[in-house]
């Protein structure tokens, strides 16, 4: 499966999450997104989407906000603690979206993802509570991210 992975603010390509997906046999496109220019990050992500036509888009934190703003048709989204209230203009997620979020997240409130599910008309099952912090880089959330990607395809 081909996955476009959009990293978060002050993060870099090749981190724990995209590496985990690649180690499980998936082709991961993981562009470097600039921290200070959301529009440029969106332009880069859109160009990568258009070039590679991934099966799934994973967006982590600010990368989740970028993913929500992409013109990506019916391509499923897997959003990890999406920072949609802090970045970008999208206020709803498309129907084939799964959100993974820790209730203990001290960066992006869990309530933001609850609101996103509600306002987007997603089923309650679209929000998966997992992990013990914002990073979602421990074994349990990594496995949940892999399952969400493989189910979404």
């Amino acid at each position: 499966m081909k996955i476009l992975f959009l990293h978060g603010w002050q993060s870099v390509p090749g981190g724990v999450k995209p590496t985990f997906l690649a180690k499980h046999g998936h082709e991961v496109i993981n562009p470097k997104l600039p921290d200070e220019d959301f529009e440029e990050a969106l332009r880069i992500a859109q160009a990568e989407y258009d070039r590679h036509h991934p099966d799934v888009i994973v967006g982590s934190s600010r990368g989740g906000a970028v993913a929500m703003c992409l013109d990506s048709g019916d391509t499923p989204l897997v959003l990890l603690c999406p920072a949609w209230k802090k970045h970008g203009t999208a206020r709803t997620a498309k129907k084939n979206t799964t959100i993974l979020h820790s209730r203990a997240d001290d960066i992006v409130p869990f309530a933001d993802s609850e609101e996103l599910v509600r306002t987007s008309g997603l089923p309650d099952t679209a929000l998966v509570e997992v992990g013990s912090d914002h990073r979602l880089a421990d074994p349990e959330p990594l496995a949940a991210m892999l399952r969400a990607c493989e189910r979404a395809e």
Side-chain angles (χ1 to χ4, degrees):
M1 175 187 343
K2 193 182 298 186
I3 299 170
L4 176 58
F5 188 96
L6 304 174
H7 67 77
W9 188 69
Q10 294 192 327
S11 188
V12 294
V16 171
K17 294 179 284 278
T19 299
F20 182 85
L21 293 169
K23 284 183 179 175
H24 283 82
H26 300 294
E27 178 185 347
V28 180
I29 298 99
N30 189 199
K32 172 72 178 134
L33 304 176
D35 283 340
E36 303 310 324
D37 187 341
F38 187 86
E39 289 305 313
E40 179 65 7
L42 180 57
R43 188 197 64 71
I44 291 167
Q46 187 68 56
E48 292 296 318
Y49 176 84
D50 294 344
R51 180 177 306 121
H52 296 285
H53 304 288
D55 301 300
V56 178
I57 301 165
V58 177
S60 181
S61 192
R62 179 178 179 258
V66 172
M68 288 170 60
C69 291
L70 286 178
D71 179 9
S72 59
D74 291 334
T75 305
L77 300 180
V78 175
L79 305 177
L80 313 174
C81 307
W84 62 277
K85 282 191 154 183
K86 295 180 183 179
H87 304 282
T89 57
R91 293 297 170 250
T92 58
K94 57 186 174 178
K95 62 178 172 56
N96 48 353
T97 296
T98 301
I99 302 166
L100 278 59
H101 206 141
S102 170
R103 198 171 288 277
D105 188 335
D106 62 348
I107 306 292
V108 176
F110 186 80
D112 287 4
S113 286
E114 291 175 313
E115 179 182 337
L116 185 58
V117 166
R118 244 186 346 271
T119 60
S120 301
L122 296 171
D124 290 343
T125 56
L127 177 56
V128 178
E129 184 180 342
V130 67
S132 59
D133 60 17
H134 181 71
R135 290 190 62 236
L136 298 185
D138 297 321
E140 179 197 12
L142 289 173
M145 174 186 64
L146 180 64
R147 280 192 307 274
C149 288
E150 290 177 345
R151 266 197 316 267
E153 183 186 27

